[in-house]
């Protein structure tokens, strides 16, 4: 049992525990006060108070000393004071200047400015740097006001822009000397750099300079900024100079690019080019000792400026289409930077500019290549209209050819550059991923350049078809021999796209169609047998089968047959795939071939859909082919069901095409025979599915009867069909068979719906408008309230249904 002390003893224990807690609380409060004092004023920490030996009365801690003003508050006060003094000085200069004489004005400005410039030195000596910075800022503003006052009094008739340019230059010198003299001040030197952006620009403006003059003023300013950014003292000075260099340099390069593009002769282009080259030199100067990312970006800018400068001069005697070729050659020439002794980030940036120029040229030529590949698709409505005179005529009557001849040259040059980059990858770009990408780009561009050249030269139709087929064959063979790397995949994709384009191109003439699709059938089949990659084998085998289907379809059209009569010819290809599927020893190749043949069967059904008798024949032939496929053990399950469904569908279509109003006379004997066969199979193999044993027999009679019953105004057929469906449903439920249960229940429900539909419509007409929504709401509420129970019931039904055969 638990010991319970007497009340007096328990009270003593509680008093001791409370005293111990009070002592610990006092110790923690003293420690907290000391920590606060350390954070506010740097003092030597006292020793940690030892715990009291005996509990004593509670003594509250002494209040902490007031904290010294924080440095942030001090800075805020100094900034506000400097701003107020600056505002006062501006107000004095603008509004009170005219109330004093010339001597008073000079004395006041000189005294205030001198005091504001001298005071920071004294404040720095007293170790007040923040106050010195505020007063120095006031002094810098006063020097600007001095310049304004000097112009208003001493030289009121002089040109304002010229005086402003000179004043900015003088202020830059004064602020620089002041900042160097008082090196501990951080504001004068960045302010001098910021003011240094204006003198040359204002001077060009005052002199009425042209756009080229403004550009040179900006370039010189950017050059000075670059020198300061490289050799300047202090991070603030270098950052300010770097920002100024980028701003003025980019504006200058933009002016130079605009002048170069709009120049009408070599003289104007040379002037703009010189400006661009100067900007490139400034970019390289700034990139020499810049951080890595900035150096790369400066190299890109320098490379683009050099291309624009040289290309702008060389392109003047040429039309605009060929100007792209000139810029592309200039961009490729930037690779000479690999032989120069430049920093590695700069080299990478210049090569990046070269790649940018090449990519822009390829982007300019890509619409021409797209028109060559996709143009033949516009002539699909005019199949076999006749071979055109040239390749451009095969692009379709709705396509107006406007491709520049230089597009083929651009693609060829870009392909050569990418190939050279792939074979001799520069060491400045480590890694093999980009090298493989260059090889991929070279392959695509070389293939596209050949196709574009055919359209540019307007080659003969036969020559264009032959070249496209030859290109597809070469790429396909190379891809098969290489294996499964990135280049092989690229060649394979180009070969397939080229084959599709050649197929569309061959539809213009009947002989060309046979030549193209026959060649592609053989080519794909041969490549599939030679390939060592399973996926490539399957893809090429499917392509061969599809091309064979196109040949079979064309054969029917050549014989003058209509689409339904051409369908059995297409099934010859499907029959061939069924035969090949049984002969091929590779399952990964046999299945795609059979699926492609099944696509041919779908094409045949689509061709025969407008003629019911022929459609019934086609469905029956498809069922025969599916039954032949089902003879193989690995295809028996799927192909057997498909064959049964096709035979049943063929019988339905045949009955509908013959105008039979009582299909039971034809379907019931067959259903009884099929039911007997299924019964025997179930006796021999109890594990066989009821769908394979009884599904064809039941659906062969019940489904056609259901369609006829829905259109029968009499009562006898629905009654007999409903009774039969009820018997089948009960037997399926009793024997736990899926097919009789599902088919019988579905037919019974549809027959009941057909019989009750008129009465249901009458009931809904008699109900008020609000009744159906109300009933639906009540139903949803009931289902929601018993959702979990309904879910469990549905799960049990699903499990029970899954256990059926």
């Amino acid at each position: 049992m638990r010991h319970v002390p007497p009340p007096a003893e328990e009270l003593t224990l509680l008093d001791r525990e409370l005293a111990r807690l009070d002592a610990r609380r006092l110790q923690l409060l003293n420690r907290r006060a000391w920590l606060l004092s350390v954070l506010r004023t740097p003092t030597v920490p006292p020793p940690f108070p030892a715990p009291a030996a005996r509990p004593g009365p509670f003594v509250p801690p002494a209040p902490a000393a007031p904290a010294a003003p924080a440095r942030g508050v001090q800075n805020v006060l100094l900034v506000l004071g400097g701003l107020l003094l600056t505002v006062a000085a501006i107000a004095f200069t603008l509004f009170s200047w005219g109330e004093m004489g010339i001597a008073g004005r000079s004395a006041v400005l000189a005294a205030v400015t001198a005091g504001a410039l001298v005071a920071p030195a004294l404040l720095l000596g007293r170790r007040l740097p923040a106050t010195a910075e505020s007063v120095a800022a006031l002094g810098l503003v006063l020097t600007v006001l001095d310049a304004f006052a000097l112009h208003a009094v001493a030289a009121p008739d002089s040109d304002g822009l010229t005086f402003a340019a000179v004043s900015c230059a003088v202020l830059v010198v004064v602020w620089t000397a002041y900042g160097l003299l008082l090196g501990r001040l951080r504001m004068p030197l960045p302010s001098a750099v910021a003011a240094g952006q204006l003198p040359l620009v204002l001077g060009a403006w005052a002199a009425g300079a042209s756009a080229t003059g403004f550009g040179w003023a900006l370039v010189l300013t950017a050059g000075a900024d670059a020198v300061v950014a490289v050799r300047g003292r202090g991070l603030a000075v270098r950052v300010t100079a770097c920002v100024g260099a980028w701003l003025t340099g980019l504006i200058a390069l933009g002016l130079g690019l605009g002048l170069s593009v709009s120049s009408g002769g070599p003289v104007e282009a040379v002037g703009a080019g010189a400006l661009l080259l100067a900007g490139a030199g400034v970019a390289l100067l700034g990139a020499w000792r810049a951080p890595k990312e900035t150096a790369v970006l400066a190299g890109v800018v320098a490379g683009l400026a050099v291309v624009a400068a040289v290309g702008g001069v060389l392109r003047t005697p040429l039309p605009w289409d060929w100007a792209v070729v000139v810029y592309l050659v200039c961009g490729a020439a930037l690779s000479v930077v690999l032989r120069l002794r430049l920093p590695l980030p700069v080299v990478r940036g210049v090569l990046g500019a070269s790649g940018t120029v090449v990519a822009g040229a390829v982007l300019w030529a890509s619409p021409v290549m797209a028109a060559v590949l996709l143009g033949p698709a516009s002539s699909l409505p005019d199949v076999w209209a006749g071979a055109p005179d040239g390749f451009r005529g095969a692009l379709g009557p709705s396509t107006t050819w406007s491709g520049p001849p230089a597009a083929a040259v651009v693609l060829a040059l870009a392909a050569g550059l990418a190939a050279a980059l792939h074979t001799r990858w520069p060491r400045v770009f480590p890694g093999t991923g980009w090298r493989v990408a260059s090889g991929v780009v070279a392959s695509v561009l070389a293939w596209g350049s050949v196709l574009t050249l055919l359209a540019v030269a307007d080659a003969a139709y036969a020559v264009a078809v032959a070249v496209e087929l030859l290109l597809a064959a070469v790429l396909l063979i190379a891809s098969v021999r290489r294996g499964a790397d990135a280049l092989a995949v690229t060649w394979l994709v180009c070969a397939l796209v080229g084959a599709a384009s050649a197929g569309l191109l061959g539809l213009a003439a009947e002989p060309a169609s046979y030549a193209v699709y026959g060649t592609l059938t053989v080519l794909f089949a041969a490549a599939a047998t030679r390939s060592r990659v399973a996926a490539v084998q399957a893809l090429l085998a499917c392509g061969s089968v599809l091309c064979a289907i196109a040949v079979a379809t064309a054969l029917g059209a050549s014989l003058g047959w209509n689409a339904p009569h051409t369908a059995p010819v297409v099934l010859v290809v499907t029959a061939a795939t069924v035969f090949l599927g049984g002969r091929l020893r590779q399952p990964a190749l046999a299945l795609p071939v059979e699926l492609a043949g099944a696509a041919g069967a779908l094409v045949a059904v689509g061709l025969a859909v407008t003629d019911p008798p022929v459609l019934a024949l086609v469905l029956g032939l498809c069922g025969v082919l599916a039954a032949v496929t089902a003879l193989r053990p690995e295809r028996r399950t799927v192909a057997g069901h498909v064959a049964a469904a096709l035979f049943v569908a063929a019988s339905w279509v045949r009955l509908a095409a013959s105008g039979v109003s009582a299909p039971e006379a034809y379907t019931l004997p067959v259903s009884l025979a099929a039911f007997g066969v299924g019964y025997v199979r179930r006796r021999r193999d109890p594990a066989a599915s009821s769908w394979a044993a009884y599904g064809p027999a039941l659906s062969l009679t019940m489904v056609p009867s259901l369609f006829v019953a829905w259109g029968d105004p009499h009562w006898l057929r629905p009654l007999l069909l409903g009774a039969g469906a009820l018997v089948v449903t009960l037997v399926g439920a009793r024997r736990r068979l899926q097919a009789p249960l599902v088919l019988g229940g579905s037919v019974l429900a549809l027959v009941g719906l057909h019989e009750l539909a008129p009465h249901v419509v009458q009931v809904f007409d008699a109900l008020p408008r609000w009744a159906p929504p109300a009933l639906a709401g009540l139903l949803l509420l009931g289902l929601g309230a018993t959702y979990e129970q309904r879910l469990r019931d549905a799960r049990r039904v699903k499990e029970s249904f899954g256990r059926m055969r």
Side-chain angles (χ1 to χ4, degrees):
M1 295 179 65
R2 184 178 179 182
H3 174 70
V4 178
E9 183 180 355
E10 185 177 0
L11 182 60
T12 303
L13 294 175
L14 291 178
D15 290 336
R16 291 177 181 175
E17 187 67 20
L18 290 174
R20 190 178 297 109
L21 291 176
D22 290 337
R24 180 59 178 166
R25 184 173 184 274
L26 178 61
Q27 179 186 2
L28 294 177
L29 288 174
N30 292 333
R31 181 66 178 176
R32 180 177 181 275
W34 174 77
L35 291 175
L36 289 176
S37 63
V38 168
L39 292 177
R40 293 172 181 173
T41 56
T43 58
V44 179
F48 193 88
R54 294 182 179 182
F58 174 73
V59 179
R71 186 176 299 273
V73 177
Q74 179 185 6
N75 292 335
V76 171
L77 295 175
L78 291 174
V79 170
L80 290 177
L83 288 177
L84 291 176
L85 289 176
T86 303
V87 171
I90 294 174
F92 169 77
T93 305
L94 294 178
F95 303 108
S96 301
W97 182 258
E99 299 177 0
M100 301 177 65
I102 186 65
R105 300 170 189 173
S106 302
V108 169
L109 276 178
V112 173
T113 304
L117 293 177
V118 172
L122 301 177
L123 293 173
L124 289 175
R126 294 180 175 273
R127 296 181 181 181
L128 297 174
T131 308
E133 291 285 351
S134 300
V135 178
L138 176 62
L140 298 181
V141 175
L142 288 175
T143 56
V144 177
L145 297 177
D146 287 340
F148 171 78
L150 184 62
H151 177 264
V153 175
D157 298 331
S158 62
D159 183 40
L161 290 174
T162 304
F163 190 87
V166 175
S167 300
C168 288
V170 173
L171 288 177
V172 168
V173 175
V174 171
W175 291 355
T176 303
Y178 185 68
L180 294 175
L181 183 62
L182 300 179
R184 295 174 61 185
L185 294 178
R186 293 176 295 178
M187 186 174 293
L189 290 179
S191 301
V193 174
Q197 315 303 313
L198 299 177
L200 293 178
V201 177
L202 292 177
W205 191 1
S210 61
T212 305
F214 271 102
W216 279 107
L218 290 168
V219 165
L220 293 176
T221 304
D225 289 333
V227 173
V228 175
V230 172
R231 300 184 177 275
R233 186 175 65 180
L235 179 61
V237 174
R238 292 196 298 269
V239 170
T240 306
C242 184
V243 172
W246 278 108
L247 183 61
T248 55
L250 290 178
I251 295 175
L253 291 177
L255 286 175
L257 180 61
L259 293 172
S260 178
V261 172
S262 61
S263 60
V267 178
E268 298 178 4
V270 168
L275 178 60
L276 290 170
L277 289 177
V282 171
L284 291 177
L285 174 64
W288 199 270
R289 294 178 60 184
K292 180 179 178 181
E293 294 78 8
T294 306
V296 171
L297 186 58
V300 172
V301 173
L304 294 177
V306 171
V307 171
V310 179
V313 176
L314 298 179
R315 65 94 192 158
T316 50
L318 299 175
W320 271 109
D321 293 341
W322 291 97
V324 180
V325 179
V326 174
Y327 285 113
L328 176 60
V329 173
C330 294
L334 289 178
S335 59
V336 73
V337 74
L338 293 172
R339 300 183 179 275
L340 302 178
R341 295 183 178 180
L342 294 176
L344 183 59
V346 177
V347 174
R348 291 181 177 179
V350 175
L351 292 180
S354 176
T356 303
V357 174
V358 175
V362 171
L363 186 63
W364 172 82
S366 58
V368 181
M369 185 172 65
V372 172
L373 291 174
L374 303 178
S378 61
S379 60
L380 284 178
D382 301 326
V383 175
W384 292 2
D389 296 333
F391 181 68
R392 296 182 186 178
L395 298 180
S398 61
T399 302
T400 301
W401 177 258
S402 60
V409 180
V410 168
L411 293 175
L413 290 176
L417 293 174
L421 191 63
H422 176 71
T423 55
R424 298 187 62 182
W425 185 255
R427 296 182 180 179
V428 296
F429 291 112
T432 59
W434 288 102
R435 183 175 184 178
V436 174
S438 64
V440 170
V441 172
S443 302
V444 175
L445 293 180
W447 168 68
S449 64
V450 175
L451 298 181
T452 307
L453 183 61
L454 293 175
V456 169
D458 197 14
Y461 175 74
V463 174
V465 173
V467 171
E468 287 204 13
L469 283 177
L470 182 61
L471 276 177
V474 171
L475 291 173
L476 193 59
I477 294 172
S479 173
V480 169
R481 288 185 175 181
R482 187 172 181 88
D485 58 356
L487 282 178
V489 173
T490 303
W491 295 344
L492 178 61
V493 172
C494 291
L496 295 177
V497 174
S501 180
L504 294 174
L505 191 63
L507 294 178
E510 183 177 356
S513 298
Y514 286 106
V516 171
Y517 287 103
T519 303
L520 291 177
T521 301
V522 177
L523 180 63
F524 286 156
T529 58
R530 294 287 184 179
S531 177
R532 297 184 299 272
V533 183
V536 176
Q537 281 185 334
L539 181 62
L540 295 179
C542 292
S544 179
V545 173
L546 294 178
C547 292
I549 292 172
V551 172
T553 306
L555 180 61
S558 298
L559 295 176
W561 296 345
N562 55 15
H565 291 162
T566 306
V569 180
V570 178
L571 287 179
V572 175
V573 180
T574 305
T577 59
V578 171
F579 176 76
L580 287 175
R583 293 291 181 179
L584 291 174
R585 298 180 180 180
Q586 301 176 1
L589 182 59
L591 181 59
V593 169
E594 294 179 48
L595 292 177
L602 292 177
V603 173
V605 172
L607 292 173
V609 74
T610 57
D611 193 341
V614 179
L615 178 60
L617 174 63
V618 171
L619 290 174
L621 293 176
C622 292
V624 172
L625 296 176
V628 173
T629 306
L631 295 177
R632 297 160 54 192
E634 67 274 11
R635 301 282 188 266
R636 182 166 298 166
T637 303
V638 177
H641 288 84
V642 173
L646 288 172
F647 283 133
V648 172
S651 64
W652 294 345
V653 174
R654 181 68 261 183
L655 292 175
S658 301
V660 176
S661 59
E664 294 84 2
Y666 300 91
T667 60
L668 191 57
V670 181
S671 295
L672 292 175
F675 186 81
V677 173
Y679 179 76
V680 173
R681 181 181 178 184
R682 286 276 297 174
R683 288 289 300 271
R684 293 182 178 179
D685 184 14
S689 174
S690 62
W691 289 99
Y694 305 127
L698 294 174
S699 59
L700 186 62
T701 296
M702 297 178 70
V703 176
S705 298
L706 180 63
F707 279 104
V708 177
W710 268 73
D712 193 351
H714 303 287
W715 57 271
L716 182 59
R717 187 188 301 276
L719 177 62
L720 295 177
L721 180 61
L726 178 61
V727 172
V728 171
T729 304
L730 294 177
V731 172
R734 181 71 176 85
R735 298 292 184 181
R736 304 183 65 81
L737 299 175
Q738 284 186 5
L741 180 62
V742 173
L743 290 176
S746 301
V747 172
L748 182 61
L750 291 175
V751 170
L753 179 62
H754 174 265
E755 295 301 316
L756 294 177
H759 304 287
V760 173
V761 172
Q762 292 178 3
V763 170
F764 271 93
D765 289 340
L767 288 175
R769 296 289 181 89
W770 54 267
L775 293 176
L778 291 175
L779 178 62
L780 293 177
L781 287 177
L783 291 176
T786 60
Y787 175 75
E788 295 184 356
Q789 181 64 34
R790 301 285 79 78
L791 193 62
R792 289 193 294 268
D793 295 342
R795 191 178 295 112
R796 285 196 294 268
V797 170
K798 179 182 177 181
E799 293 174 355
S800 177
F801 186 76
R803 289 193 294 267
M804 293 183 179
R805 289 292 180 182

